[in-house]
Amino acid sequence: MTLFNILMIAVACLLGVGLYGLLITRNLIKIVVVLQLLVKSVVLAFVLAGKVSGHPGIGESVAATVIVADTIVAVVALALAVQVRIRFGTLDIPKISSLRG
Amino acid sequence: MEIAPYVLLSLGAVFCAYKAVRSPRLLASALYLAVVSALVSVMLFLLGATEVAVIELSVGAGLVTVLLVYALSVVGEDAQDPPSFIPKPLAFVLAAAAAGLVGWMTLPILPLPQATRDLLLVDVLWKQRALDVWIQIALIFSGVLGILGLLTESQTVKEDEIEPEALESVSAVIAHQEAGLHKPDLAPEAEVRP
């Protein structure tokens, strides 16, 4: 088994764990954590794809872009989560979605 | 190439990711996420992507963890993850199917024989993808606005937490001071000598 196969299995496992967490999570801040986990696997996959295809610079630049965008998503999502906690008093998504007005 | 460090790092990253997902306390989840980020950055460094590894370590394990801990300190006591509505076996099957599909599509890919470093990251970023760099700068500004929103909301929480009785007592103290009932030794400015 080559290095590429091992790292691709790791990427698939991280992706699976992230998707599992996304399905079972109800807390808004926990969703941010799980999204970060998913992006870690995607960054690893981009760098690996660049290395395998013979153009590592392109893969690394795309990975850097993904890291920046994901960090901004986390910051804005955390600000929204704090605001939701202040307005509605909870971070549980079903309780938030059942509120009206 | 030696593959044993990659195996150990991958196993550690997947284990910490699982613990981050299953941990009922959000602070523990945030710390496990930082460990996953550090392990992934070590893997990136070993793969030769040193710049991305540095960015991942400083941003993923540093900045995001600090922001998560700060948000948890603002949110306070309900930093617990309630049980899910979706049955966990069903979620496990769906996630395993998606991961298996990714593995089935990517594992048969064979690396090219010559993986030369023909283009450096700096060249790609500033010559081929200069527009993306400017978009990233705009994104960073929006992130700064998000951080300002986070800080502003936390101050709003502190203002909302003031009880009406406390406000009444404060207003009573102010009324006493305006009536000249405060002690003269509480004003040390008058006694300061050069």
Side-chain angles (χ1 to χ4, degrees):
Chain A
M1 185 174 283
T2 63
L3 174 65
F4 173 74
N5 293 129
I6 290 172
L7 287 178
M8 256 311 159
I9 290 172
V11 166
C13 289
L14 274 178
L15 201 70
V17 171
L19 288 173
Y20 173 71
L22 207 58
L23 285 174
I24 68 168
T25 300
R26 287 169 50 183
N27 193 302
L28 276 177
I29 295 181
K30 188 81 171 281
I31 285 178
V32 177
V33 173
V34 175
L35 283 176
Q36 291 282 320
L37 280 179
L38 279 172
V39 171
K40 300 282 181 273
S41 71
V42 171
V43 166
L44 192 57
F46 269 128
V47 172
L48 202 58
K51 190 176 174 60
V52 166
S53 66
H55 302 289
I58 298 175
E60 292 175 18
S61 66
V62 174
T65 306
V66 169
I67 290 173
V68 171
D70 174 63
T71 307
I72 304 307
V73 166
V75 169
V76 175
L78 284 176
L80 284 175
V82 170
Q83 193 171 8
V84 163
R85 171 71 173 81
I86 290 168
R87 304 270 187 240
F88 297 106
T90 182
L91 286 172
D92 197 2
I93 293 175
K95 290 180 184 173
I96 296 167
S97 61
S98 64
L99 293 178
R100 294 289 180 268
Chain B
M1 189 179 291
E2 189 68 30
I3 62 172
Y6 292 101
V7 175
L8 290 177
L9 288 170
S10 303
L11 287 177
V14 173
F15 174 73
C16 290
Y18 181 73
K19 292 291 285 183
V21 167
R22 291 302 302 269
S23 174
R25 295 187 64 227
L26 291 186
L27 187 61
S29 291
L31 295 180
Y32 276 120
L33 174 70
V35 175
V36 172
S37 178
L39 293 176
V40 168
S41 69
V42 172
M43 272 195 275
L44 294 175
F45 183 80
L46 291 178
L47 280 173
T50 52
E51 295 93 349
V52 181
V54 168
I55 295 173
E56 172 67 34
L57 189 61
S58 59
V59 172
L63 176 65
V64 172
T65 306
V66 168
L67 286 174
L68 277 171
V69 172
Y70 181 76
L72 289 176
S73 70
V74 170
V75 165
E77 67 275 4
D78 70 341
Q80 303 276 339
D81 191 18
S84 65
F85 283 145
I86 300 177
K88 286 182 179 176
L90 176 63
F92 179 78
V93 168
L94 289 175
L101 193 62
V102 170
W104 179 64
M105 291 175 70
T106 54
L107 281 181
I109 297 175
L110 292 175
L112 292 178
Q114 69 279 5
T116 57
R117 195 181 177 86
D118 54 349
L119 283 173
L120 293 175
L121 174 63
V122 178
D123 296 334
V124 174
L125 268 185
W126 289 105
K127 291 178 182 173
Q128 295 185 0
R129 306 183 61 229
L131 181 64
D132 284 356
V133 174
W134 293 112
I135 292 174
Q136 286 182 42
I137 292 171
L139 273 176
I140 289 172
F141 272 113
S142 66
V144 169
L145 291 178
I147 291 177
L148 288 178
L150 196 64
L151 297 175
T152 309
E153 292 302 329
S154 68
Q155 290 171 359
T156 311
V157 174
K158 289 173 184 173
E159 289 172 3
D160 290 343
E161 284 175 351
I162 299 174
E163 296 177 354
E165 293 83 6
L167 284 177
E168 289 174 0
S169 64
V170 168
S171 60
V173 169
I174 292 172
H176 274 283
Q177 287 183 351
E178 286 176 352
L181 294 178
H182 63 280
K183 296 178 182 178
D185 57 354
L186 290 178
E189 293 86 5
E191 298 175 2
V192 172
R193 293 174 183 172

